[in-house]
Amino acid sequence: MFQTIISTISSFMYSKLLVIILIGAGVYFTVRTRFPQVRLFKRACGSVMEKPEDKKAISSFQALMVSTASRVGTGNIVGVSSAICIGGFGSVFWMWVIAIIGSASALIESTLAQIYKKKGEDGSCYGGPAYYIEAALHCRPLAIVFCIAMILTYAFGFNMLASYNLQSTFSVFSFYEAKISPWIIGGILAVLTGWCLLGGGSRIVKVTSMLVPVMGIAYIGISLLVVIINIQNVPAMFVRIFEEAFDFKAIFGAFSGSAMMQGIRRGLYSNEAGIGSAPNASAAANVSHPVKQGLVQMLSVFIDTLLLCTATAMMCMSSGIDPAKELQGAPWVQASLQESLGSFGPVFITVAMVFFAFTTLLGNCFYCDNLLIYIHKKQPGKAFMKGFRLVSALAIFLGAGMEMSLLWDLSDVLMGVMALINIPVILILSGIAVKAIQDYEVQLKQGINPVFKSADIGLSQKTDFWS
């Protein structure tokens, strides 16, 4: 009964409502900011490597790695596979579209998070949608609702799904027993994640900063190798992508299962642009101008979808193994790599999933720390945080043995609630972010390193960092 209700809500939300809101907002921000995805791409790459004056502060790169750790996860492998197996090759095209358009939303929301970030007792900075909702709209109840929705999404929905996706990759091995193995794997994952979580936010930042670049480069490298091995299939693959992407009869005949809808759903799940998650990591960075971190988070969307999701899609679609609904998820990816790389393929995917899932779990829980600080109006007590992290670890354990379709639908619904709150808010506040972008570009034209002062854009609200 519960699964039917969640599935129905998910189908309704993604049939029209969220599609209109997400694409509409992304197009609006893209046009209003004059296509920053192209115009400011070089600046975004440069901003990543800037170091803060305080060596102990979180850098743009570290904040990027935390947000990318959450974005880059099992959805880049299992989610992409499921989208193509259900919606066809055309799903990939619509994933690209939602990433390019959505990156403008990521720029706006992360710039706002930087403008309205708060200063901690130790001088560190933190923030996110809850803080700009209260500071600019003066509506703390709405901000608390957003916090609760995001905690449910990340600490439970996404983490349970990541746990399931991870354990499912072991199903190709002879030792896997369907009734027992998921719980054993889930238990091991829960213990390891709990150990990192109990070390606090600093340990999360250190672990993700080391793991994310390594696993991302290795994954792209193997993907390129597979594509090269199957280079003869590549031209027909691209033809099929565009043919199925614009099969309007299929799109409007069965919209929920179409290439467009699957591409949008999995693209949104993967890059998270506009739903209000990445701003929590963005606010932690120490930068001289809010737009610098906004551009860095725009770049994170490209890394996630245009690189890693595309890597999965290319190596699977070029393999010659046709997608099918019964192969959705890890099985199609493993079958594709086994076809190209032999027995090494499934082993590599399992290892990649371990790293992707683990960093996702840590990045997701990093977000929850900031949300709990907001709800409590201070750093929660050690006993409370220990209890919360133990409950989060328990959710990871339970997710490993649950039903895949329920976990996907539950994650989609929870993520949709976040988007329905965050997108209207950043539309209302977009004027502030646009003024900040204009201020940033004026200083660039003057040949100086942009430094932000709230008075320069006529901001009336008092800020902790930019007065």
PDB file of all heavy atoms in Angstrom, residues 7 42 70 75 133 157 179 198 206 245 272 304 321 336 349 390 421 440 443 459:
ATOM      1  N   SER A   7       4.660   5.622  -5.263  1.00  0.00           N
ATOM      2  CA  SER A   7       4.813   5.538  -6.718  1.00  0.00           C
ATOM      3  C   SER A   7       3.854   6.482  -7.431  1.00  0.00           C
ATOM      4  O   SER A   7       4.222   7.143  -8.416  1.00  0.00           O
ATOM      5  CB  SER A   7       4.571   4.097  -7.172  1.00  0.00           C
ATOM      6  OG  SER A   7       4.687   3.986  -8.572  1.00  0.00           O
ATOM      7  N   LYS A  42      35.489  29.492 -18.156  1.00  0.00           N
ATOM      8  CA  LYS A  42      36.926  29.602 -17.859  1.00  0.00           C
ATOM      9  C   LYS A  42      37.141  30.154 -16.457  1.00  0.00           C
ATOM     10  O   LYS A  42      38.040  29.692 -15.725  1.00  0.00           O
ATOM     11  CB  LYS A  42      37.611  30.495 -18.908  1.00  0.00           C
ATOM     12  CG  LYS A  42      39.120  30.553 -18.759  1.00  0.00           C
ATOM     13  CD  LYS A  42      39.741  31.391 -19.875  1.00  0.00           C
ATOM     14  CE  LYS A  42      41.264  31.455 -19.713  1.00  0.00           C
ATOM     15  NZ  LYS A  42      41.890  32.270 -20.798  1.00  0.00           N
ATOM     16  N   SER A  70      28.531  14.181  -2.896  1.00  0.00           N
ATOM     17  CA  SER A  70      27.105  13.886  -2.775  1.00  0.00           C
ATOM     18  C   SER A  70      26.484  13.670  -4.152  1.00  0.00           C
ATOM     19  O   SER A  70      25.694  12.757  -4.357  1.00  0.00           O
ATOM     20  CB  SER A  70      26.390  15.030  -2.050  1.00  0.00           C
ATOM     21  OG  SER A  70      25.019  14.770  -1.962  1.00  0.00           O
ATOM     22  N   GLY A  75      23.976   7.015  -8.488  1.00  0.00           N
ATOM     23  CA  GLY A  75      23.125   7.469  -9.587  1.00  0.00           C
ATOM     24  C   GLY A  75      23.885   7.612 -10.881  1.00  0.00           C
ATOM     25  O   GLY A  75      23.317   7.471 -11.967  1.00  0.00           O
ATOM     26  N   ILE A 133      16.409  31.680   3.063  1.00  0.00           N
ATOM     27  CA  ILE A 133      14.948  31.766   3.186  1.00  0.00           C
ATOM     28  C   ILE A 133      14.573  32.663   4.369  1.00  0.00           C
ATOM     29  O   ILE A 133      13.728  33.553   4.254  1.00  0.00           O
ATOM     30  CB  ILE A 133      14.322  30.370   3.367  1.00  0.00           C
ATOM     31  CG1 ILE A 133      14.409  29.573   2.059  1.00  0.00           C
ATOM     32  CG2 ILE A 133      12.849  30.485   3.795  1.00  0.00           C
ATOM     33  CD1 ILE A 133      13.993  28.115   2.189  1.00  0.00           C
ATOM     34  N   GLY A 157      16.403   8.871   2.452  1.00  0.00           N
ATOM     35  CA  GLY A 157      16.069   8.471   1.082  1.00  0.00           C
ATOM     36  C   GLY A 157      17.276   8.156   0.222  1.00  0.00           C
ATOM     37  O   GLY A 157      17.442   7.034  -0.267  1.00  0.00           O
ATOM     38  N   LYS A 179      19.036 -13.548   0.109  1.00  0.00           N
ATOM     39  CA  LYS A 179      18.344 -13.337   1.379  1.00  0.00           C
ATOM     40  C   LYS A 179      19.284 -12.874   2.502  1.00  0.00           C
ATOM     41  O   LYS A 179      18.827 -12.298   3.493  1.00  0.00           O
ATOM     42  CB  LYS A 179      17.635 -14.615   1.814  1.00  0.00           C
ATOM     43  CG  LYS A 179      16.467 -15.001   0.908  1.00  0.00           C
ATOM     44  CD  LYS A 179      15.757 -16.240   1.434  1.00  0.00           C
ATOM     45  CE  LYS A 179      14.569 -16.605   0.552  1.00  0.00           C
ATOM     46  NZ  LYS A 179      13.864 -17.820   1.033  1.00  0.00           N
ATOM     47  N   LEU A 198      31.130   9.775  13.015  1.00  0.00           N
ATOM     48  CA  LEU A 198      31.412  10.102  14.411  1.00  0.00           C
ATOM     49  C   LEU A 198      32.692  10.917  14.549  1.00  0.00           C
ATOM     50  O   LEU A 198      32.959  11.488  15.607  1.00  0.00           O
ATOM     51  CB  LEU A 198      31.508   8.825  15.254  1.00  0.00           C
ATOM     52  CG  LEU A 198      30.180   8.066  15.400  1.00  0.00           C
ATOM     53  CD1 LEU A 198      30.386   6.746  16.116  1.00  0.00           C
ATOM     54  CD2 LEU A 198      29.142   8.906  16.136  1.00  0.00           C
ATOM     55  N   LYS A 206      38.009  15.773   4.743  1.00  0.00           N
ATOM     56  CA  LYS A 206      39.312  15.187   4.402  1.00  0.00           C
ATOM     57  C   LYS A 206      39.161  13.926   3.564  1.00  0.00           C
ATOM     58  O   LYS A 206      39.854  13.738   2.566  1.00  0.00           O
ATOM     59  CB  LYS A 206      40.089  14.877   5.682  1.00  0.00           C
ATOM     60  CG  LYS A 206      40.581  16.114   6.424  1.00  0.00           C
ATOM     61  CD  LYS A 206      41.307  15.734   7.710  1.00  0.00           C
ATOM     62  CE  LYS A 206      41.762  16.977   8.457  1.00  0.00           C
ATOM     63  NZ  LYS A 206      42.431  16.627   9.742  1.00  0.00           N
ATOM     64  N   ALA A 245      15.729  10.590 -28.718  1.00  0.00           N
ATOM     65  CA  ALA A 245      15.491  11.793 -27.920  1.00  0.00           C
ATOM     66  C   ALA A 245      14.331  12.608 -28.474  1.00  0.00           C
ATOM     67  O   ALA A 245      13.581  13.243 -27.722  1.00  0.00           O
ATOM     68  CB  ALA A 245      16.749  12.651 -27.867  1.00  0.00           C
ATOM     69  N   GLU A 272      21.463  17.257  -9.078  1.00  0.00           N
ATOM     70  CA  GLU A 272      20.816  17.947  -7.952  1.00  0.00           C
ATOM     71  C   GLU A 272      20.726  19.460  -8.121  1.00  0.00           C
ATOM     72  O   GLU A 272      20.487  20.185  -7.156  1.00  0.00           O
ATOM     73  CB  GLU A 272      21.547  17.622  -6.644  1.00  0.00           C
ATOM     74  CG  GLU A 272      21.612  16.131  -6.342  1.00  0.00           C
ATOM     75  CD  GLU A 272      22.486  15.803  -5.147  1.00  0.00           C
ATOM     76  OE1 GLU A 272      22.795  16.713  -4.357  1.00  0.00           O
ATOM     77  OE2 GLU A 272      22.871  14.632  -5.004  1.00  0.00           O
ATOM     78  N   ASP A 304      29.587  16.202 -12.854  1.00  0.00           N
ATOM     79  CA  ASP A 304      28.707  15.083 -12.537  1.00  0.00           C
ATOM     80  C   ASP A 304      28.040  14.493 -13.777  1.00  0.00           C
ATOM     81  O   ASP A 304      28.159  13.302 -14.044  1.00  0.00           O
ATOM     82  CB  ASP A 304      27.627  15.549 -11.556  1.00  0.00           C
ATOM     83  CG  ASP A 304      26.597  14.475 -11.302  1.00  0.00           C
ATOM     84  OD1 ASP A 304      26.815  13.654 -10.402  1.00  0.00           O
ATOM     85  OD2 ASP A 304      25.583  14.436 -12.018  1.00  0.00           O
ATOM     86  N   ILE A 321      25.644  -4.452 -26.043  1.00  0.00           N
ATOM     87  CA  ILE A 321      24.615  -5.104 -25.216  1.00  0.00           C
ATOM     88  C   ILE A 321      23.395  -4.198 -25.167  1.00  0.00           C
ATOM     89  O   ILE A 321      23.474  -3.085 -24.647  1.00  0.00           O
ATOM     90  CB  ILE A 321      25.120  -5.380 -23.788  1.00  0.00           C
ATOM     91  CG1 ILE A 321      26.388  -6.231 -23.817  1.00  0.00           C
ATOM     92  CG2 ILE A 321      24.027  -6.050 -22.967  1.00  0.00           C
ATOM     93  CD1 ILE A 321      26.205  -7.622 -24.336  1.00  0.00           C
ATOM     94  N   SER A 336      27.735  -5.012 -19.788  1.00  0.00           N
ATOM     95  CA  SER A 336      28.413  -4.224 -20.821  1.00  0.00           C
ATOM     96  C   SER A 336      29.926  -4.261 -20.637  1.00  0.00           C
ATOM     97  O   SER A 336      30.686  -4.426 -21.602  1.00  0.00           O
ATOM     98  CB  SER A 336      27.920  -2.776 -20.784  1.00  0.00           C
ATOM     99  OG  SER A 336      26.537  -2.701 -21.047  1.00  0.00           O
ATOM    100  N   ILE A 349      33.463  -2.351 -11.708  1.00  0.00           N
ATOM    101  CA  ILE A 349      32.223  -1.651 -11.393  1.00  0.00           C
ATOM    102  C   ILE A 349      31.885  -1.792  -9.911  1.00  0.00           C
ATOM    103  O   ILE A 349      31.439  -0.837  -9.262  1.00  0.00           O
ATOM    104  CB  ILE A 349      31.060  -2.175 -12.264  1.00  0.00           C
ATOM    105  CG1 ILE A 349      31.194  -1.608 -13.678  1.00  0.00           C
ATOM    106  CG2 ILE A 349      29.706  -1.789 -11.691  1.00  0.00           C
ATOM    107  CD1 ILE A 349      31.111  -0.095 -13.749  1.00  0.00           C
ATOM    108  N   LEU A 390      24.043   7.612  14.467  1.00  0.00           N
ATOM    109  CA  LEU A 390      23.780   6.181  14.616  1.00  0.00           C
ATOM    110  C   LEU A 390      22.489   5.793  13.891  1.00  0.00           C
ATOM    111  O   LEU A 390      22.409   4.734  13.262  1.00  0.00           O
ATOM    112  CB  LEU A 390      23.703   5.802  16.095  1.00  0.00           C
ATOM    113  CG  LEU A 390      25.046   5.829  16.847  1.00  0.00           C
ATOM    114  CD1 LEU A 390      24.822   5.588  18.340  1.00  0.00           C
ATOM    115  CD2 LEU A 390      26.013   4.794  16.279  1.00  0.00           C
ATOM    116  N   ILE A 421      10.194  23.772  -2.919  1.00  0.00           N
ATOM    117  CA  ILE A 421      10.433  24.877  -1.983  1.00  0.00           C
ATOM    118  C   ILE A 421      11.551  25.777  -2.499  1.00  0.00           C
ATOM    119  O   ILE A 421      11.424  27.004  -2.549  1.00  0.00           O
ATOM    120  CB  ILE A 421      10.801  24.339  -0.582  1.00  0.00           C
ATOM    121  CG1 ILE A 421       9.636  23.559   0.019  1.00  0.00           C
ATOM    122  CG2 ILE A 421      11.193  25.504   0.349  1.00  0.00           C
ATOM    123  CD1 ILE A 421       9.968  22.861   1.331  1.00  0.00           C
ATOM    124  N   TYR A 440      30.618  41.222  -9.762  1.00  0.00           N
ATOM    125  CA  TYR A 440      31.784  40.363 -10.004  1.00  0.00           C
ATOM    126  C   TYR A 440      32.405  40.666 -11.365  1.00  0.00           C
ATOM    127  O   TYR A 440      33.630  40.823 -11.491  1.00  0.00           O
ATOM    128  CB  TYR A 440      31.339  38.899  -9.920  1.00  0.00           C
ATOM    129  CG  TYR A 440      32.360  37.881 -10.339  1.00  0.00           C
ATOM    130  CD1 TYR A 440      33.366  37.470  -9.464  1.00  0.00           C
ATOM    131  CD2 TYR A 440      32.311  37.296 -11.610  1.00  0.00           C
ATOM    132  CE1 TYR A 440      34.309  36.514  -9.850  1.00  0.00           C
ATOM    133  CE2 TYR A 440      33.234  36.341 -12.003  1.00  0.00           C
ATOM    134  CZ  TYR A 440      34.230  35.950 -11.118  1.00  0.00           C
ATOM    135  OH  TYR A 440      35.150  35.007 -11.501  1.00  0.00           O
ATOM    136  N   GLN A 443      34.219  44.125 -11.638  1.00  0.00           N
ATOM    137  CA  GLN A 443      35.561  44.102 -11.047  1.00  0.00           C
ATOM    138  C   GLN A 443      36.552  43.345 -11.939  1.00  0.00           C
ATOM    139  O   GLN A 443      37.728  43.714 -12.025  1.00  0.00           O
ATOM    140  CB  GLN A 443      35.507  43.477  -9.654  1.00  0.00           C
ATOM    141  CG  GLN A 443      34.731  44.328  -8.652  1.00  0.00           C
ATOM    142  CD  GLN A 443      34.810  43.764  -7.239  1.00  0.00           C
ATOM    143  OE1 GLN A 443      35.884  43.625  -6.670  1.00  0.00           O
ATOM    144  NE2 GLN A 443      33.652  43.448  -6.656  1.00  0.00           N
ATOM    145  N   LEU A 459      22.333  45.829  -0.877  1.00  0.00           N
ATOM    146  CA  LEU A 459      21.702  44.825  -0.023  1.00  0.00           C
ATOM    147  C   LEU A 459      21.421  45.418   1.353  1.00  0.00           C
ATOM    148  O   LEU A 459      22.325  45.880   2.045  1.00  0.00           O
ATOM    149  CB  LEU A 459      22.604  43.602   0.114  1.00  0.00           C
ATOM    150  CG  LEU A 459      22.014  42.363   0.806  1.00  0.00           C
ATOM    151  CD1 LEU A 459      20.866  41.795  -0.022  1.00  0.00           C
ATOM    152  CD2 LEU A 459      23.098  41.310   0.985  1.00  0.00           C
TER     153      LEU A 459
END
